[in-house]
Amino acid sequence: MGLRTAGSVLVVFLWSVTVVLSQKGWSVTYTTQSICTLKGSTVEMSCSYTYPSGTVTTTFWFTKKYAVENYVNLRNDSNYKGRVTYRSDKMNGHNLTITDLRESDSAMYKFRFITDQTGGKYTGDPGVTLSVTDLQVKVTTTWWSTTLTCSTTCTLTGNPTYTWYRNSKIVQDDSSPSYTVYFKTEDSFYCAVKGINSNAVSVEGHSYFHVTYTHQRICTLKRSSVDISCSYTYPSGHTVSETIWYTKENLMRCLKS
Ligand SMILES: *[C@@H]1O[C@H](CO)[C@@H](O)[C@H](O)[C@H]1NC(C)=O
Ligand SMILES: *[C@@H]1O[C@H](CO)[C@@H](O)[C@H](O)[C@H]1NC(C)=O
């Protein structure tokens, strides 16, 4: 029974600690706490806040704080000039929109508000982590194919789909980040996500096992001779020991000496 009483006291004690930590009545709730998005795109961060009493006089988002009470309102930050929009509603919602994102915008964004009451100031911690990435095409070559992968430095929020372009024409839409090419080509490729394009790559110079025939159709005279020719490529590191011409019916074999 003594143990049971001690337990109840402990529960009451922990409960009061929680109340002190959350600063009764003050809160900022962010809709999303972590965002990974593309360079050049637009991001919106949203939050809602509560406070115990008074009237809110100032609201802003910031990433930098130089000293106690020296916060840099994002709208006054020269690095964000002309790219920041605030929107608020009567339900204590506040949104931040940043356009034309740069990789240097990757940071922790926090919302702060001030009321007309003494000591009535609050910052929502920990804030929203924004990671801005560009799209890079990575090339992986095997003996028989080249796989192009559209890569990012963080996993894009919302699992968007990828579009692949070959010489600026769509070849794979609504797809995974990878595209595979099976033949030697001099075409150029790039990927895109939500209208943002990657760098373009050419897979020229990658060679696989591939044969190119000089003529694909030959019409010639009875009793004349014909020259059928081709050229072939193979991956470096291989040595050709045997070449064969064949038809469906028979094999014409010649061994390389
Ligand atoms: C910050 O910008 C607001 C307008 O968005 C302006 O009223 C205010 O004076 C600026 N503050 C500083 C410190 O420049
Ligand atoms: C803020 O963004 C959220 C989510 O995108 C949206 O539901 C809300 O209406 C926006 N609020 C304002 C004030 O723009």
Side-chain angles (χ1 to χ4, degrees):
M1 266 170 284
L3 194 61
R4 196 180 175 134
T5 313
S8 313
V9 170
L10 185 62
V11 166
V12 169
F13 172 72
L14 287 177
W15 177 76
S16 38
V17 167
T18 313
V19 168
V20 170
L21 287 180
S22 75
Q23 291 193 293
K24 204 170 174 90
W26 294 92
S27 73
V28 173
T29 308
Y30 298 101
T31 309
T32 312
Q33 284 177 8
S34 174
I35 300 174
C36 165
T37 192
L38 293 168
K39 184 176 161 182
S41 70
T42 294
V43 73
E44 183 174 48
M45 299 180 210
S46 70
C47 75
S48 63
Y49 56 96
T50 63
Y51 51 98
S53 61
T55 309
V56 173
T57 55
T58 309
T59 52
F60 64 93
W61 292 76
F62 70 95
T63 57
K64 293 190 207 107
K65 179 184 165 187
Y66 291 121
V68 178
E69 286 305 311
N70 192 358
Y71 298 86
V72 183
N73 181 341
L74 218 54
R75 276 221 294 225
N76 298 55
D77 191 325
S78 57
N79 293 328
Y80 295 84
K81 201 171 188 344
R83 298 192 295 129
V84 168
T85 312
Y86 287 159
R87 274 192 301 147
S88 54
D89 60 24
K90 294 191 175 68
M91 313 290 287
N92 295 342
H94 201 281
N95 291 10
L96 160 67
T97 304
I98 309 172
T99 55
D100 191 21
L101 285 168
R102 304 163 183 175
E103 276 160 300
S104 56
D105 294 338
S106 297
M108 177 74 88
Y109 291 78
K110 296 183 187 192
F111 175 75
R112 182 168 174 82
F113 66 100
I114 300 169
T115 69
D116 59 359
Q117 306 290 296
T118 315
K121 303 165 179 178
Y122 192 77
T123 297
D125 280 311
V128 182
T129 307
L130 175 69
S131 309
V132 181
T133 174
D134 64 351
L135 284 177
Q136 284 288 346
V137 176
K138 297 247 162 85
V139 181
T140 318
T141 307
T142 66
W143 286 359
W144 58 89
S145 68
T146 289
T147 298
L148 306 173
T149 306
C150 197
S151 83
T152 51
T153 54
C154 51
T155 306
L156 293 171
T157 303
N159 296 314
T161 58
Y162 295 74
T163 303
W164 278 98
Y165 292 82
R166 182 175 194 142
N167 295 333
S168 306
K169 288 206 195 82
I170 294 177
V171 284
Q172 189 173 285
D173 203 5
D174 229 7
S175 78
S176 76
S178 296
Y179 181 68
T180 301
V181 186
Y182 293 97
F183 296 102
K184 185 176 164 69
T185 173
E186 292 179 2
D187 294 350
S188 111
F189 297 84
Y190 64 88
C191 62
V193 176
K194 295 186 202 160
I196 306 283
N197 293 348
S198 70
N199 55 320
V201 297
S202 165
V203 296
E204 182 182 8
H206 293 286
S207 64
Y208 327 112
F209 292 108
H210 190 58
V211 177
T212 309
Y213 296 95
T214 314
H215 301 286
Q216 282 178 11
R217 186 179 283 270
I218 300 173
C219 172
T220 191
L221 289 170
K222 196 168 160 182
R223 283 199 298 275
S224 70
S225 61
V226 73
D227 193 2
I228 303 173
S229 58
C230 73
S231 65
Y232 54 89
T233 66
Y234 51 92
S236 59
H238 288 246
T239 319
V240 176
S241 57
E242 186 181 355
T243 58
I244 297 167
W245 280 98
Y246 65 96
T247 64
K248 266 190 189 139
E249 287 76 33
N250 59 56
L251 286 177
M252 284 179 275
R253 181 179 296 249
C254 76
L255 283 175
K256 264 207 169 170
S257 54

